[in-house]
């Protein structure tokens, strides 16, 4: 996604905007730009570059522009190629209006055509530029700027958050939000604007989350807020403390490695927090105990890694709490028929709490009268504000684009929740809940000790060897299948090695044709003895065709270990927690393969951390 950062205040804006952009670069890094109003003549002055914020910073060596009203942008391209022309800010014809934008204007094509017919000249391929020209035209036909903004938002379709600076308004920034995040931090004679409040963490904790479908005129010590009809709204500031240190990497080479290594603590924190809040958990979910007792169906929705966590958790809820679960891929489910059942809830699973596909799926479910709950890592996120209840996972800020510790925290929270629901339904007793908590803590220990055990071998021998392959296949069965999908996603996104994933028994129905020495096959074991034996047969099918096998196995699984060309062996855990115990090792191995290939691990090409467009 893109990030928008702005400043209006007593100080020059550039240093804040550039630091904010650096903090939010996880949202996009195709290109970056900065614009401000010239302190004397209020001209819009700007600079843009391809690539990340570090490239933009080099521009200031030649052109050290700055001003008291400034804004910046990092782009994750949607409309138009990655180029300086398509970088933000974008402008109207006279460069009196300058805009930075996150989101998509769905009707930009027809707007562009009519504006071009009216004589507007476009410089870029972006949908964003359409907003600037449309606003230019509306400012000539409306009596005042507020009416022009109402006219503008009435013409724009899609989801967007943007900031505008204008030469005729030298003390004010206009911000507009519909379905994309935007927040404002209030300081002492200064206002901070950003897509994510992380941009101004440490500068102020007084936050206004711009309401959906609203716009505001921001001056250094005032905010005028309106809804899309132009009716004045009262801004409601909240105090939100966000942890922030400037040395977030803490000596690790990459955020991803740091986040992989934090997972034992993350699981412990999540267990401890859930244990401490046991009696408030239904209230947080917006439910009462009776509703939990009667629960018959849970819909889990998410995207990417969060969807994989949901698929793993399906086994928890169905096995432990005996509740039927549907897992929806957020981007698909809202276009499918939905069959409402009584006594059902839906849980949206998301690290960021901002993913547009998941947000839209939750909105769709809410419209179907389903009780929606968010399970997120960012408690101040849109998903929390829009759902009937919310639970947090306690992973702490996750910066690397590839999600690691959030996955571990999601799986932990959902395992705990399945037991809590089972307890309410009278399927288990209090002691079993305590046992489950201890099982999670054991899995956390194993997650870390397994990494320690194999770290040296991975770095010195295994990662350099496996980094040579151009493709890999991932196999699992039962609960290890969604985990294999997560492993497959992790390797492809950070190493750019092509990967595919199948339930192991499906191999013989087609993919077996691909098996040769050139494609290592990752196989993830399972502790159920019957399914394990079937998995061994699938591994034998691979070896019989001279396939190369990398097995993630449990102690005592002699047949699988002996078949494997490379075997990682970890201690046994509760069978449902096998994936969690293997998580660190799987991620560490993939991380080091990508590192050997010298990939930009924390920011893989073409990706972004928070995907606020559908
Ligand atoms: C992969 C990854 C993505 C996210 C997905 C959903 O490593 O990070 O697949 O899991 O974009 O993001 P959230 O969890 O923020 O909704």
């Amino acid at each position: 996604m893109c990030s928008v950062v702005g400043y209006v205040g007593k100080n020059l804006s550039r240093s804040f905007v550039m630091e904010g952009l650096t903090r939010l670069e996880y949202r996009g890094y195709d290109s970056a730009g900065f614009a401000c109003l010239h302190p004397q003549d209020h001209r819009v002055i700007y600079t843009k570059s391809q690539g990340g914020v570090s490239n933009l910073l080099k521009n200031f060596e030649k052109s050290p522009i700055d001003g008291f009203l400034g804004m910046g942008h990092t782009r994750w391209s949607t409309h138009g190629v990655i180029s300086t022309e398509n970088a933000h800010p974008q402008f109207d014809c006279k460069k009196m209006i300058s805009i930075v934008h996150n989101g998509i204007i769905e009707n930009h094509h027809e707007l562009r055509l009519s504006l071009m017919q009216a004589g507007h000249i476009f410089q870029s391929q972006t949908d964003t530029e359409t907003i600037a020209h449309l606003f230019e035209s509306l400012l000539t036909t409306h009596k005042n700027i507020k009416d022009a903004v109402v006219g503008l938002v009435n013409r724009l379709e899609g989801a967007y958050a943007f900031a505008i600076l204008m030469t005729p308004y030298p003390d004010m920034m206009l911000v507009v939000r519909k379905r994309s995040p935007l927040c404002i931090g209030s300081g002492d004679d200064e206002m901070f604007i950003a897509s994510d409040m992380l941009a101004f963490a440490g500068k102020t904790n007084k936050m206004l989350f711009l309401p959906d479908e609203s716009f505001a005129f921001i001056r250094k010590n005032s905010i005028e807020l309106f809804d899309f009809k132009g009716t004045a709204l009262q801004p409601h500031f909240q105090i939100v403390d966000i942890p922030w240190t400037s040395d977030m990497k803490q000596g690790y080479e990459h955020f991803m490695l740091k986040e992989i290594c934090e997972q034992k603590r993350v699981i412990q924190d999540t267990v401890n927090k859930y244990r401490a809040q046991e009696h408030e958990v239904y209230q947080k979910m917006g439910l009462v105990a009776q509703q939990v007792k009667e629960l018959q169906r849970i819909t889990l929705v998410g995207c990417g890694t969060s969807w994989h966590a949901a698929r793993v958790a399906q086994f928890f809820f169905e096995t432990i709490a005996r509740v039927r679960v549907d897992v929806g891929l957020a981007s698909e489910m809202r276009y499918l028929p939905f069959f409402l059942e009584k006594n059902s809830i839906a849980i949206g699973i998301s690290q960021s709490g901002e993913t547009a596909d998941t947000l839209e799926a939750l909105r769709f479910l809410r419209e179907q009268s389903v009780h929606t709950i968010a399970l997120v890592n960012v408690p101040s996120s849109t998903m929390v504000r829009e759902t009937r209840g919310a639970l947090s996972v306690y992973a702490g800020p996750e910066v690397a684009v590839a999600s690691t510790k959030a996955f571990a925290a999601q799986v932990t929270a959902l395992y705990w929740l399945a037991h809590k629901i089972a307890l309410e339904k009278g399927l288990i007793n209090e002691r079993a809940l305590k046992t489950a908590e201890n099982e999670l803590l054991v899995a956390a220990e194993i997650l870390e000790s397994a990494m320690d055990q194999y770290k040296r071998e991975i770095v010195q021998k295994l990662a350099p060897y496996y980094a040579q392959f151009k493709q890999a296949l991932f196999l699992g069965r039962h609960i290890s299948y969604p985990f294999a999908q997560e492993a497959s996603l992790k390797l492809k996104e950070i190493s750019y090695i092509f990967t595919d994933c199948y339930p192991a028994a499906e191999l013989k129905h087609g993919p077996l044709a691909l098996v040769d020495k050139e494609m290592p096959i990752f196989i993830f074991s399972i502790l159920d003895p019957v399914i394990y034996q079937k998995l061994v047969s699938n591994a034998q099918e691979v070896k019989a065709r001279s396939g190369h096998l990398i097995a993630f196995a449990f102690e005592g699984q002699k047949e699988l270990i002996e078949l494997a060309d490379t075997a990682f062996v970890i201690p046994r855990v509760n069978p449902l927690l096998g994936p969690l115990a293997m998580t660190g090792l799987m991620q560490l191995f993939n991380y080091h393969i990508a590192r050997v290939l010298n990939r930009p691990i924390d920011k893989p090409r073409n990706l972004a951390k928070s995907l606020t467009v559908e």
Side-chain angles (χ1 to χ4, degrees):
M1 243 7 33
C2 304
S3 62
V4 168
V5 175
Y7 177 88
V8 178
K10 60 187 176 193
N11 295 314
L12 289 168
S13 59
R14 191 178 87 202
S15 76
F16 165 73
V17 171
M18 296 313 293
E19 188 186 334
L21 288 181
T22 307
R23 293 186 192 184
L24 301 198
E25 214 180 10
Y26 69 86
R27 301 174 64 87
Y29 33 82
D30 293 343
S31 58
F34 170 78
C36 59
L37 294 183
H38 191 286
Q40 275 84 46
D41 61 19
H42 312 313
R43 265 178 305 127
V44 174
I45 44 181
Y46 68 96
T47 178
K48 319 198 250 187
S49 66
Q50 275 190 49
V53 177
S54 56
N55 285 1
L56 183 63
L57 283 168
K58 286 186 206 138
N59 290 7
F60 295 119
E61 288 163 17
K62 280 200 196 130
S63 154
I65 57 171
D66 212 343
F68 295 97
L69 285 87
M71 60 191 193
H73 187 262
T74 59
R75 179 166 183 248
W76 183 77
S77 318
T78 56
H79 295 70
V81 296
I82 301 168
S83 68
T84 310
E85 292 72 42
N86 289 336
H88 299 201
Q90 292 291 326
F91 306 98
D92 66 326
C93 295
K94 299 191 210 86
K95 287 212 167 81
M96 305 280 270
I97 299 170
S98 154
I99 176 169
V100 291
H101 162 223
N102 169 33
I104 287 183
I105 305 303
E106 286 167 2
N107 59 337
H108 78 102
H109 187 65
E110 70 189 63
L111 289 173
R112 176 185 279 252
L113 286 181
S114 73
L115 286 159
M116 281 166 68
Q117 273 162 14
H120 289 261
I121 297 174
F122 281 72
Q123 309 288 347
S124 79
Q125 301 159 314
T126 61
D127 53 342
T128 306
E129 194 183 352
T130 320
I131 309 174
H133 289 281
L134 181 58
F135 196 38
E136 177 183 24
S137 123
L138 291 168
L139 280 169
T140 61
T141 51
H142 286 71
K143 329 193 260 308
N144 63 46
I145 182 165
K146 190 184 96 182
D147 291 348
V149 181
V150 173
L152 177 70
V153 296
N154 277 328
R155 299 280 302 277
L156 299 177
E157 287 168 20
Y160 47 83
F162 56 83
I164 285 183
L165 281 179
M166 288 165 285
T167 303
Y169 297 90
D171 65 339
M172 176 200 96
M173 187 179 293
L174 163 65
V175 296
V176 183
R177 168 183 183 222
K178 181 183 177 192
R179 294 195 157 191
S180 281
L182 200 65
C183 46
I184 296 159
S186 170
D188 177 16
D189 268 348
E190 56 188 351
M191 296 283 180
F192 309 98
I193 295 106
S195 303
D196 179 339
M197 61 189 181
L198 192 62
F200 41 78
K203 304 220 159 25
T204 178
N205 62 358
K206 208 174 155 200
M207 310 284 169
L208 169 69
F209 296 101
L210 214 62
D212 196 26
E213 304 206 356
S214 71
F215 63 92
F217 299 116
I218 299 181
R219 294 181 174 82
K220 68 181 178 183
N221 43 27
S222 74
I223 292 184
E224 289 177 88
L225 182 65
F226 302 93
D227 67 16
F228 274 8
K229 294 197 184 87
T231 312
L233 300 172
Q234 193 57 37
H236 292 297
F237 279 91
Q238 311 173 15
I239 301 298
V240 184
D241 289 305
I242 322 149
W244 171 259
T245 64
S246 54
D247 179 22
M248 295 265 285
K249 263 196 216 161
Q250 291 166 13
Y252 285 91
E253 192 177 343
H254 294 102
F255 280 109
M256 183 176 178
L257 182 60
K258 171 179 166 275
E259 288 159 8
I260 289 171
C261 293
E262 285 171 349
Q263 291 181 107
K264 174 176 156 186
R265 191 188 42 74
V266 161
I267 297 171
Q268 290 168 339
D269 285 354
T270 302
V271 171
N272 290 335
K273 292 270 193 312
Y274 276 74
R275 193 182 258 164
Q277 299 166 12
E278 191 191 332
H279 300 295
E280 296 152 44
V281 71
Y282 300 149
Q283 188 204 333
K284 283 175 186 282
M285 292 165 80
L287 297 170
V288 294
Q290 190 58 30
Q291 286 172 293
V292 177
K293 252 193 198 87
E294 290 167 2
L295 201 59
Q296 283 172 4
R297 177 174 160 181
I298 302 176
T299 301
L300 300 175
V301 281
C303 305
T305 292
S306 295
W307 179 63
H308 296 149
R311 304 236 311 105
V312 169
Q314 177 171 18
F315 292 88
F316 303 160
F317 290 109
E318 292 189 340
T319 317
I320 302 159
R322 311 292 306 159
V323 179
R324 196 183 128 198
V325 173
D326 296 311
V327 182
L329 191 54
S331 54
E332 289 292 319
M333 78 159 302
R334 61 187 284 238
Y335 301 106
L336 299 172
F338 183 76
F339 302 98
L340 181 64
E341 277 177 29
K342 64 178 178 98
N343 303 329
S344 65
I345 58 169
I347 306 179
I349 301 172
S350 172
Q351 189 285 126
S352 59
E354 300 292 350
T355 303
D357 290 322
T358 309
L359 265 171
E360 290 299 337
L362 286 168
R363 287 170 186 150
F364 165 79
L365 288 162
R366 204 179 48 197
E367 280 158 21
Q368 313 293 314
S369 309
V370 183
H371 183 104
T372 55
I373 296 163
L375 183 88
V376 297
N377 190 35
V378 182
S380 54
S381 58
T382 308
M383 242 173 250
V384 173
R385 293 196 294 278
E386 289 198 4
T387 44
R388 302 259 305 266
L391 293 174
S392 291
V393 300
Y394 297 93
E398 191 181 66
V399 178
V401 165
S403 187
T404 53
K405 61 178 180 167
F407 175 78
Q410 289 162 346
V411 170
T412 302
L414 291 163
Y415 187 73
W416 188 92
L417 190 61
H419 283 84
K420 178 71 182 161
I421 294 172
L423 178 66
E424 203 60 54
K425 284 176 169 288
L427 299 169
I428 62 167
N429 57 23
E430 276 286 350
R431 182 191 287 228
L433 179 62
K434 297 286 157 264
T435 305
E437 289 167 355
N438 289 334
E439 286 165 348
L440 285 164
L441 299 177
V442 170
E445 293 291 341
I446 293 174
L447 182 153
E448 185 159 291
S449 61
M451 290 199 289
D452 288 344
Q453 184 187 339
Y454 286 103
K455 191 160 59 191
R456 182 188 286 248
E457 194 183 349
I458 287 176
V459 173
Q460 292 181 352
K461 188 177 129 201
L462 299 175
Y465 178 69
Y466 287 106
Q468 301 170 67
F469 291 90
K470 300 277 174 278
Q471 51 197 358
L473 195 63
F474 286 71
L475 303 176
R477 281 189 88 123
H478 192 261
I479 199 168
S480 82
Y481 170 49
F483 182 61
Q485 288 183 300
E486 171 58 10
S488 163
L489 172 66
K490 214 92 298 170
L491 183 59
K492 78 166 57 108
E493 70 178 325
I494 60 169
S495 72
Y496 315 157
I497 291 172
F498 177 81
T499 68
D500 203 352
C501 180
Y502 283 92
E506 278 296 298
L507 206 58
K508 58 185 175 293
H509 299 293
L512 201 56
L514 293 170
V515 171
D516 62 16
K517 291 200 184 81
E518 304 302 313
M519 183 177 65
I521 297 178
F522 290 65
I523 190 161
F524 293 91
S525 192
I526 177 142
L527 280 156
D528 178 288
V530 177
I531 308 174
Y532 165 68
Q533 282 307 333
K534 307 265 184 211
L535 194 81
V536 170
S537 305
N538 302 139
Q540 267 155 350
E541 289 157 17
V542 171
K543 288 313 296 175
R545 274 114 193 137
S546 306
H548 186 104
L549 211 57
I550 304 166
F552 285 72
F554 296 96
E555 280 172 0
Q557 296 188 324
K558 214 162 148 277
E559 302 93 327
L560 186 62
I561 296 164
E562 281 174 5
L563 279 171
D565 298 274
T566 294
F568 297 106
V569 185
I570 70 162
R572 288 171 174 255
V573 285
N574 179 300
L576 291 174
L577 292 180
L580 185 63
M582 281 178 181
T583 292
L585 196 53
M586 171 279 278
Q587 295 161 342
L588 191 73
F589 186 33
N590 290 336
Y591 164 82
H592 279 290
I593 292 175
R595 186 173 169 276
V596 170
L597 294 168
N598 207 14
R599 302 296 189 225
I601 292 180
D602 283 336
K603 292 179 197 152
R605 70 179 176 208
N606 305 335
L607 299 181
K609 180 105 189 123
S610 180
L611 288 158
T612 53
V613 292
E614 285 175 69

